[in-house]
């Protein structure tokens, strides 16, 4: 869609990353990140083995103003050059969302520029258009600490959830598995590291919902099986841990192969006219090389292009929020009023049924 060039300031504070970014959308719909800063709160939370909402909210308050200044500086622009402000307003931890959205509102009020209250999941969903200029429709697998969803991206503001987890999010399964094996937080990288010297065939862990006609996911049984395996081996050796981690990743790979494979088939059946179908992956778990290789092989098998944005744009950042704001503005979608409220729960697909226990409560993607 053509529209005048747009320069958008994005703000992200929905979980444990404080981020600000300035993104340019050119008249042809191409995107460029002009300035981008992310401050991770990993250290503040690591002693607690997870994100503590009160600590997160306080850390956002302390850092956000400076990060916005820094993003503008790196972009070489001032607030006068900005066409709109985009701030994450859900889903996520409510304290952090309030900090980011209130800051966005204050800047909008002071400058008279429009404000877009952006759904964090929409940020993830549209990133592949910023990085790879992907056209609609495409399929997205979002695998993070808060969400595990397969989403059909039909257009800006037009999403259909095809599958979601009915219990733990995939990143959460990695984090819980790491914790019960005594590995450090965040669990994903620790499990991946341990798995590299393990035997993936040693344990035959369950692969819940494999073969199910729906496209949903389930990971809590896997975590329970890991606990039982570890308990049966007490005291566990380093090699046992490595073997458990490798077998755990193998069970997940097989699950993804089945669940996502079905999604690719459904996409082909529903969009037979799309010449170059694509699967996009987003979320912190997308860093995992074994899972990436599984998804790449699956896409090769089904004739899909596999799009994995650079890691810093797969995990939480404000460039994706700025970009979602730019896409909304360019598509002619209305800005939000300054009375817009943050929403800790905010499904991308309003029609999709909420599934009990789907992902970590209050956490975001
Ligand atoms: O998207 P993200 O950065 O933010 C939140 O969801 O908050 O994802 C973080 C999640 C954590 O659960 C972390 O353990 C997982 O992504 N993760 C990984 C890897 N790196 C991060 N999981 C598996 N393998 C990895 N290499
Ligand atoms: Zn996220």
């Amino acid at each position: 869609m053509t529209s005048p060039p747009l320069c958008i300031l994005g703000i992200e504070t929905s979980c444990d990353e404080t981020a600000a970014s300035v993104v340019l959308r050119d008249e042809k719909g191409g995107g460029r990140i002009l300035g981008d800063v992310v401050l991770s709160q990993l250290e503040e939370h690591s002693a607690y083995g997870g994100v503590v909402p009160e600590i997160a909210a306080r850390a956002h308050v302390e850092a956000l103003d400076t990060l916005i200044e820094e993003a503008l500086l790196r972009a070489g622009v001032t607030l006068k050059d900005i066409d709109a402000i985009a701030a994450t307003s859900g889903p996520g931890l409510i304290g952090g969302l309030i900090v980011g959205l209130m800051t966005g509102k204050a800047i909008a009020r002071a400058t008279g520029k429009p404000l877009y209250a952006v759904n964090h999941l929409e940020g993830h969903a549209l990133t592949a258009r910023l990085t790879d200029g992907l056209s609609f429709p495409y399929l997205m697998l979002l695998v993070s600490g808060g969400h595990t969803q397969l989403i059909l991206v039909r257009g800006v503001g037009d999403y259909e959830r095809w599958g979601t987890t009915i219990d733990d999010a995939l990143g959460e399964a990695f984090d819980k598995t790491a914790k019960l094996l005594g590995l450090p937080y965040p669990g994903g990288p620790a499990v991946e590291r341990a798995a590299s010297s393990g035997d993936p065939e040693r344990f035959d862990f369950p692969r819940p919902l494999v073969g199910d006609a729906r496209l949903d996911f389930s990971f809590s049984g896997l975590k329970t099986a890991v606990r039982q395996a570890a308990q049966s081996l007490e005291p566990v050796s380093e090699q046992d841990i490595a073997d458990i981690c490798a077998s755990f990743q193998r069970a997940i790979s097989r699950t993804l192969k089945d669940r996502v494979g079905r999604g690719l088939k459904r996409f082909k059946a529903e969009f037979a006219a799309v010449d170059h179908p694509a699967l996009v992956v987003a979320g912190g778990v997308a860093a995992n090389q074994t899972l990436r290789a599984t998804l790449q092989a699956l896409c090769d098998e089904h004739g899909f292009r596999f799009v994995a944005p650079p890691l810093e744009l797969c995990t939480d950042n404000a460039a994706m929020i700025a970009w979602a704001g730019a896409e909304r503005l360019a598509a002619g979608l209305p800005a939000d009023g300054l009375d817009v409220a943050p929403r800790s729960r905010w499904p991308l697909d309003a029609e999709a049924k909420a599934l009990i226990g789907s992902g970590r409560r209050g956490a975001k993607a």
Side-chain angles (χ1 to χ4, degrees), residues 80-96:
K80 282 205 191 78
D81 306 309
I82 297 290
D83 293 297
I85 296 107
T88 304
S89 66
L93 299 173
I94 197 71

Side-chain angles (χ1 to χ4, degrees), residues 5 12 23 52 248 293:
E12 160 61 37
V23 168
V52 184
F248 168 81

